[in-house]
Amino acid sequence: MATFFFFLLSFLICFHFSSAEPFIGVNYGQVADNLPPPSATAKLLKSTSIEKVRLYGADPAIIKALANTEIGIVIGAANGDIPSLASDPNSAAQWINSNVLPFYPASKIILITVGNEVLTTNDPNLINQLLPAMQNMQNAINGASLGGKIKVSTVHSMAVLGQSDPPSSGLFSPSYQPALKGLLQFHKDNGSPFAINPYPFFAYQSDSRPETLAFCLFQPNAGRVDSGNGIKYMNMFDAQVDSVHSALSAMGFKDVEIMVAETGWPYSGDSNEVGPSIENAKAYNGNLIAHLKSMVGTPLMPGKSVDTYLFALYDEDLKPGPGSERAFGLYKSDLSMTYDVGISKSSQVSELIYSFEPKKKL
């Protein structure tokens, strides 16, 4: 019996990790002066079920440290790079030569984001240069024979939506629609995702009723009925993602894939901030992960989980703004967990052993 149990447990553990969740990633920001070395971070990531990491830049030390880990890597070109990328195809080719070719394929680079929340900078020059920059980056990837292997996108704030409630009425703001039309055609033509940053935390800050907190944290609540289609939503994350889906559909691009580039909840904040706490952060991230693992999807996109990158791997102690901005980390700089959301392989193995261990009769 003991031998059978051992083999059953071994099989279950192997199956559990061979069927890891490829749709769960994490953001690895570097606005800090106390981060562990990239090699330590690579080792940490390998001890978790996280399969993808999003960088805001293209730090060669980090990209190199993630070589041969099979962890997917998203790298980024900064907003300041956009003018040169847009005006000179050689600049894009050089960017690929410097930031991709020395590391790929040992380092599994899967996506390049050109700029971050460019449209909501409301800088007309930068906005007009975004699509040409993405096109030149895509052409440079094609020129390096990596077309289809590495995608190109850009990341948007939820503020690109002019209307989001109820989710079925989601629309992009008219002022952003001209730029978005070209960008969405680019995504459709190249099979790349539309990346968005939904934060139920910010929704709760603007509506801090107890029932709203439960709705944001995936906790038991009465739900909210979409007056447009009668669908009842049980959490804010699904409502926000579906409002983006509705906005894409209204523009004629319902088949463009949505990617959640950032979402998270701070575990601490200033005394005047509503919502930050260890309990709330653990509830949001833990319940979000469970929701994604369930593969139930959203009401308008059922049966699959949207690629989602949690914010963030570490706290960033040099970030400006309220205290919450420096308290999103799942891990501390000493590599200890801030709180446990079930992504550590060791905790998952412990759960499996407990679940399948023969219970003694009382």
Side-chain angles (χ1 to χ4, degrees):
M1 184 67 185
T3 304
F4 171 75
F5 169 71
F6 173 78
F7 282 115
L8 175 63
L9 184 61
S10 298
F11 169 77
L12 287 167
I13 289 173
C14 289
F15 175 78
H16 183 72
F17 293 127
S18 66
S19 59
E21 290 74 37
F23 38 78
I24 298 176
V26 69
N27 285 271
Y28 181 0
Q30 295 174 266
V31 187
D33 60 5
N34 60 351
L35 296 179
S39 57
T41 297
K43 189 174 180 181
L44 171 67
L45 288 167
K46 287 172 68 177
S47 75
T48 74
S49 57
I50 291 169
E51 292 213 359
K52 292 186 288 196
V53 174
R54 177 183 168 221
L55 309 179
Y56 291 84
D59 187 308
I62 296 174
I63 297 170
K64 190 173 181 179
L66 292 170
N68 304 310
T69 62
E70 285 304 304
I71 293 170
I73 309 166
V74 179
I75 60 176
N79 288 5
D81 295 331
I82 290 174
S84 63
L85 291 170
S87 62
D88 184 5
N90 290 326
S91 176
Q94 184 55 50
W95 200 95
I96 296 297
N97 289 339
S98 299
N99 298 303
V100 175
L101 297 186
F103 312 106
Y104 186 90
S107 296
K108 191 179 172 184
I109 298 166
I110 56 174
L111 180 71
I112 298 168
T113 57
V114 178
N116 190 52
E117 299 188 351
V118 171
L119 297 195
T120 45
T121 64
N122 294 317
D123 178 338
N125 290 326
L126 203 61
I127 291 169
N128 290 333
Q129 291 168 325
L130 178 58
L131 179 57
M134 291 169 66
Q135 289 169 330
N136 282 342
M137 191 74 86
Q138 182 67 56
N139 290 336
I141 288 171
N142 294 345
S145 300
L146 295 175
K149 296 176 182 176
I150 300 175
K151 307 284 190 182
V152 175
S153 188
T154 187
V155 179
H156 302 284
S157 156
M158 285 290 285
V160 295
L161 292 175
Q163 187 169 314
S164 60
D165 187 28
S168 64
S169 72
L171 289 172
F172 292 117
S173 173
S175 60
Y176 300 131
Q177 286 187 22
L180 281 165
K181 189 171 183 180
L183 293 172
L184 291 172
Q185 189 63 53
F186 174 91
H187 290 310
K188 182 178 180 181
D189 292 343
N190 294 286
S192 58
F194 181 81
I196 194 82
N197 293 339
Y199 277 90
F201 168 66
F202 295 130
Y204 174 61
Q205 286 199 312
S206 62
D207 175 12
S208 55
R209 294 174 296 167
E211 56 267 35
T212 301
L213 181 62
F215 188 66
C216 288
L217 297 181
F218 301 85
Q219 293 174 334
N221 66 90
R224 298 183 179 183
V225 176
D226 186 319
S227 58
N229 56 20
I231 290 173
K232 180 182 279 192
Y233 281 83
M234 300 308 297
N235 66 81
M236 181 68 79
F237 179 83
D238 283 355
Q240 290 186 328
V241 172
D242 272 357
S243 68
V244 175
H245 177 73
S246 294
L248 290 171
S249 298
M251 291 274 289
F253 293 95
K254 68 181 179 64
D255 294 328
V256 168
E257 177 190 348
I258 295 170
M259 169 184 138
V260 173
E262 283 183 28
T263 191
W265 199 287
Y267 64 84
S268 179
D270 296 332
S271 59
N272 63 342
E273 289 190 85
V274 178
S277 73
I278 288 277
E279 294 76 21
N280 289 349
K282 183 176 180 178
Y284 179 75
N285 285 313
N287 290 335
L288 171 60
I289 289 168
H291 181 58
L292 294 169
K293 285 182 175 180
S294 75
M295 296 293 285
V296 69
T298 71
L300 296 185
M301 296 180 291
K304 66 170 187 172
S305 290
V306 170
D307 272 13
T308 300
Y309 291 77
L310 304 173
F311 189 87
L313 183 60
Y314 299 120
D315 290 337
E316 296 177 83
D317 66 332
L318 299 181
K319 286 191 80 170
S324 59
E325 285 292 317
R326 297 174 289 283
F328 276 89
L330 297 173
Y331 290 87
K332 298 293 191 180
S333 57
D334 64 1
L335 305 178
S336 63
M337 286 182 190
T338 307
Y339 49 87
D340 189 355
V341 291
I343 56 176
S344 167
K345 287 179 181 175
S346 59
S347 66
Q348 291 173 347
V349 170
S350 298
E351 288 172 14
L352 276 172
I353 291 172
Y354 178 79
S355 300
F356 288 94
E357 198 171 45
K359 303 296 187 289
K360 292 180 181 178
K361 293 182 180 179
L362 297 174

